[in-house]
Amino acid sequence: MLTYILLGIAVVVALLVIVVATRPADFRYERSATMNASPAEVFAQVNNFHNWQEWSPWAKRDPNSKTAYEGPEAGEGAKFSWSGNNEVGEGKMTIVESTPPKKLAIRLEFLRPMKAINTAEFVFNPVGNQTQVTWSMHGKNS
């Protein structure tokens, strides 16, 4: 009986190793939404981390999260860090590219519950009187 249990565990471990080994080295996620505002208005909201508490879904998941800001108020070099409950974790973001009102790139560092460094990008495209915002995040699978 013990032999069958050990064999079963070995098969599960082997399958897990195969699945992990066949995953791509990089990942990319992308989502889009249309906002009822001009690209300049939407860009201004995203380009300033002080505004994120008003619209970020993560800010609402832990209202007691500790936050800090460094560097310029907005644009390249602006930094935001947070430390919250297990759902929001801990990390920091730095704006590394700010091209009004078209594109914003952010270095996103997760410290807890897992460590990772990724890039998040926001692209703002006019669609009539509205703006299509495309958010993406990419990085290495670890």
Side-chain angles (χ1 to χ4, degrees):
M1 180 67 166
L2 182 59
T3 304
Y4 291 118
I5 292 173
L6 291 175
L7 184 60
I9 291 172
V11 168
V12 169
V13 169
L15 287 174
L16 182 61
V17 167
I18 290 169
V19 168
V20 170
T22 60
R23 293 185 63 200
D26 299 319
F27 74 89
R28 180 176 182 85
Y29 297 104
E30 185 174 296
R31 302 288 184 268
S32 293
T34 302
M35 304 293 155
N36 194 20
S38 72
E41 292 171 301
V42 180
F43 181 88
Q45 286 296 310
V46 181
N47 192 46
N48 185 331
F49 288 134
H50 296 269
N51 296 332
W52 285 43
Q53 298 295 63
E54 295 298 316
W55 57 266
S56 171
W58 296 103
K60 292 170 183 35
R61 291 184 184 207
D62 183 5
N64 298 319
S65 178
K66 307 277 188 282
T67 60
Y69 304 91
E70 294 178 51
E73 180 85 9
E76 286 185 33
K79 297 178 182 182
F80 172 71
S81 59
W82 74 93
S83 180
N85 63 21
N86 288 338
E87 195 171 1
V88 300
E90 182 178 359
K92 56 186 172 179
M93 298 187 288
T94 304
I95 297 177
V96 295
E97 179 185 344
S98 179
T99 309
K102 299 180 184 228
K103 182 181 177 188
L104 189 72
I106 298 169
R107 177 183 165 95
L108 178 55
E109 298 177 64
F110 294 106
L111 304 173
R112 180 178 54 83
M114 74 251 169
K115 290 189 179 208
I117 297 175
N118 301 311
T119 300
E121 295 177 337
F122 291 85
V123 176
F124 308 89
N125 289 312
V127 179
N129 294 333
Q130 299 178 320
T131 302
Q132 180 185 38
V133 180
T134 301
W135 165 87
S136 64
M137 185 167 73
H138 58 89
K140 298 280 182 197
N141 275 324
S142 57

